[in-house]
């Protein structure tokens, strides 16, 4: 069936509005107030509080198209179907309909709206274990619709269980739908679980009825939900019988632009991977920069992922002969495709292009230094093998991809200790992953005493900012604390005046001088709200939260740790106030040990 991306989005929304669903708009790609994940990875993600039981203002039946980023499979990009950005078509029942309606509707949508031949559909259902029984009910519903018994497969948790999105939260058994490409079975056991290519996944219906707790156990949710997700790009590819997602209309203008700029064709086996990588990565970068909460390239968090995507695109693009300014020209094509569906991209067009050009300049500069380092290395080498350690240094300090080092070494008759490189790379990856996990625990880089004090100062400053600026929209947008300083991002539209900064400092120092004890209580989110605590209510996964109280000065939901008394903090001083991104300000502040300046006379 010939169907454009726009038609598919519209058919999806119409199908569900006809069945009583309210369409909601895509949430930001950068999860709001959720420090546990970097990007929105599924349509359910912004809906977690509602899956847990909070009433959604738009009702119990919702549908949407959600922007998603998943970078776990970044190395697979370049094949026919992996993308780092994708759109997820989704519908939800928040404690309303369940399996009967959902299976029926899935079948109807696939066969009647998208025109799939029922004979070529295969489905999987949960085989059952000690946490949740075998899902015979769903299997029977599929059979009743018309799916052949031999096309219904029972699989375990690895395949037929979805979620939670983070460590804890809503999850449940699912049933997945696949298109049978007609290829012969790879073996007797061939099923949608194997990756031989016979079965291509289309859609996932999750029966979200459990909460995974921090101790690994599952408890039933207050309500039984349905959460479904269908990848727009892959569905377009499947229904049109195309060879890859890059042949669909959300990609062809991007690919066309790359071909025009480089003079290389995506049909050339030598260049197909590079063209796809550039197309995918620039598309994702455009969405990350152009998001309503967009970020720019940096060395941390979302900014770091963005940097890696851009540099990887530039690296692959160099092999195609792409030059300065070509990547931002590709981004132009991306914005053109999506401007009507995601107007935030059109509004940010100039910013997107400038950021991409600037990152290209920065990358090319480090590459130059890396090449100098490489030459030096070759000169002093005693053997013909470049040690893994040196290759890793080139990668880590100069952004040199391994394959580039290998190629350059080859030109000079050297080899590279690739295993040694991989070992170090793995160590580094584990370390930075552990670091990232730590960092997301409330923005703390470690949990030492100095950090805990600065963390306490952050709470006092947050409250002081709200009071001094007297604006209900002043809210935390990010936090990063090391033993040396705190860094705090908050929503506010303009620079603070010197008087305002002084007033904030004075308030914090007055709270320190009062030397009040800091207490912590566990309570439900509702109780915390009732107690007047500020915090990230919207996307809290667990039921109970910790609330830290600092006398009359501050009450905030937080994971800790904190100082025991405010008097431990010393003297609080703001060292910098600047813009972080549009509508977000950033303050850096320090504590020094000298408390004598906090007296009333000061
Ligand atoms: N949350 C499920 C998924 O991501 C269904 O939307 O596949």
């Amino acid at each position: 069936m010939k169907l454009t991306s726009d038609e598919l989005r519209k058919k999806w929304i119409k199908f569900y509005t006809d069945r009583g669903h309210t369409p909601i708009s895509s949430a930001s790609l950068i999860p709001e107030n959720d420090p546990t994940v970097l990007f929105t990875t599924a349509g359910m993600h912004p809906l977690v509080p509602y899956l847990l039981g909070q009433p959604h203002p738009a009702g119990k039946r919702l549908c949407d198209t959600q922007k998603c980023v998943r970078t776990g499979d970044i190395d697979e990009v370049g094949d026919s179907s992996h993308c780092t950005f994708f759109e997820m078509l989704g519908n939800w029942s928040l404690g309303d309909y369940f399996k009967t309606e959902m299976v029926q509707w899935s079948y109807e949508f696939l066969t009647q709206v998208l025109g799939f031949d029922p004979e070529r559909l295969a489905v999987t259902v949960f085989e059952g274990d000690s946490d949740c029984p075998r899902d015979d009910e769903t299997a029977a519903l599929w059979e009743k619709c018309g799916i052949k018994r031999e096309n219904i497969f029972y699989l375990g948790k690895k395949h037929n269980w979805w979620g939670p999105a983070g460590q804890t939260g809503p999850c449940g058994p699912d049933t997945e739908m696949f298109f049978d490409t007609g290829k012969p079975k790879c073996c007797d056991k061939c099923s949608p679980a194997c990756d031989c290519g016979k079965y291509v996944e289309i859609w996932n219906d999750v029966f979200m009825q459990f909460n995974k707790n921090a101790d690994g156990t599952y408890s039933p949710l207050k309500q039984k939900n349905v959460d479904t997700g269908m990848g727009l790009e892959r569905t377009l590819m499947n229904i049109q019988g195309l060879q890859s997602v890059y042949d669909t209309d959300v990609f062809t203008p991007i690919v066309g632009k790359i071909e025009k700029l480089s003079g290389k064709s995506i049909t050339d086996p030598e260049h197909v991977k590079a063209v796809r990588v550039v197309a995918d990565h620039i598309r994702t970068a455009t969405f990350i920069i152009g998001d309503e909460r967009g970020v720019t390239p940096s060395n941390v968090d979302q900014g770091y992922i963005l940097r890696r995507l851009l540099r990887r695109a530039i690296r692959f693009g160099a092999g195609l002969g792409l030059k300065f300014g070509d990547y931002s020209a590709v981004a132009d094509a991306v914005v053109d495709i999506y401007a009507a569906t995601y107007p935030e991209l059109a509004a940010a067009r100039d910013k997107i292009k400038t950021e991409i050009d600037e990152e290209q300049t920065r990358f090319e500069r480090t590459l130059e230094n890396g090449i100098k380092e490489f030459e030096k290395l070759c000169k002093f080498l005693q053997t013909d093998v470049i040690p893994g350690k040196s290759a890793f240094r080139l990668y880590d300090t100069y952004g040199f991809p391994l394959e580039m080092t290998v190629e350059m070494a080859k030109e000079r008759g050297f080899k590279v200790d690739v295993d040694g490189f991989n070992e170090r790379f793995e160590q580094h990856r584990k370390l930075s992953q552990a670091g990232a996990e730590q960092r997301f625990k409330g923005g703390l880089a470690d949990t030492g005493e100095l950090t805990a004090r600065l963390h306490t100062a952050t709470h006092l400053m947050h409250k002081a900012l709200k009071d001094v600026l007297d604006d209900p929209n002043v809210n935390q947008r990010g936090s990063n604390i090391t033993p040396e300083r705190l860094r705090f991002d908050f929503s506010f539209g303009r620079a603070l005046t010197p008087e305002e900064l002084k007033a904030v400092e004075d308030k914090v120092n007055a709270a320190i001088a009062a030397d009040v004890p800091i207490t912590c209580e566990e309570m439900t989110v509702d109780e915390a709200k009732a107690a007047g605590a500020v915090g990230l209510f919207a996307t809290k996964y667990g039921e109970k939260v910790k609330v830290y109280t600092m006398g009359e000065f501050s009450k905030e939901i937080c994971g800790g740790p904190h100082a025991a008394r405010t008097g431990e903090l010393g003297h609080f001083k703001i060292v910098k106030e600047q813009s972080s991104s549009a509508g977000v300000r950033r303050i850096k502040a320090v504590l020094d040990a000298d408390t004598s300046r906090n007296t009333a006379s000061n």
Side-chain angles (χ1 to χ4, degrees), residues 41-44 70 88 162 204 206 208 227-229:
T41 57
M44 59 74 74
R70 291 186 188 176
M88 189 183 272
W162 200 88
N204 185 12
V206 187
M208 218 158 236
D227 154 47
T228 95

Side-chain angles (χ1 to χ4, degrees), residues 473-490:
N473 298 318
V474 168
N475 279 310
Q476 172 167 349
R477 293 293 289 272
S479 161
N480 173 286
I481 302 170
T482 68
E484 288 79 36
R485 56 110 184 100
L486 68 85
R487 195 183 78 201
F488 184 75
D489 292 352
F490 59 103

